[in-house]
Amino acid sequence: SIIGNIRRVDYFQGRFYILDSDESKALFIFSSEGNFISKTKYGRGPDEILDPWDFYIDQTKNEILIWDQRVFSMQVYDLNLNLKSSKSYGNLAIRNFVISGEDTLFVFAQSPVISEFKEGQENINYNYLVYTKDFSEVIQKYLPINSREILQITLSSPLCVSNGTECIAIYDQNSYRYRTNQIYTYNDLVF
């Protein structure tokens, strides 16, 4: 099998986008009939990727953003997986992300960032963060949790929905929606 472990699947314009970040370390494209179309290339070259951890299809720009966790960079591809641009962001440890507005990203991330982590340090925190789109500033932090409290249980990947971004916090068994710069539980929302 060319795909080992499926981390994420998305469907857009008659194509399935399937991310295997563990075995083949690639994002695959298949037609709705199941025919292979393309995949990202593994490696350190200019159009290659080492550790594709998460991806997001920007439907307004017809672009695919892929976070490379090994080199802390955001790769931007067209819908056929031709590389358009790549930018490194130092030492961010992003687990999942979605675009939440024109100029913000809703991110599930680890803190402290890699360069601030000290040997023997036990406190690794996970938060939903709202970043500016260029990752230059954290605008908001939501639902901080400590890794010792949750062991191997983490928050879910954020999902885009029609009027906000949704996430499910397994540790407290709540669903949350981020919209209008606030995060709400479903009990607080008026739909």
Side-chain angles (χ1 to χ4, degrees), residues 23-38:
E23 301 294 324
S24 52
K25 297 193 179 292
L27 177 66
F28 295 85
I29 303 175
F30 291 91
S31 70
S32 57
E33 294 80 29
N35 298 315
F36 174 79
I37 295 173
S38 184

Side-chain angles (χ1 to χ4, degrees), residues 67-85:
W67 179 255
D68 188 333
Q69 187 75 331
R70 176 89 48 95
V71 294
F72 310 112
S73 69
M74 188 69 78
Q75 316 280 34
V76 180
Y77 293 85
D78 66 18
L79 294 178
N80 294 312
L81 295 178
N82 298 304
L83 184 68
K84 294 174 73 174
S85 66

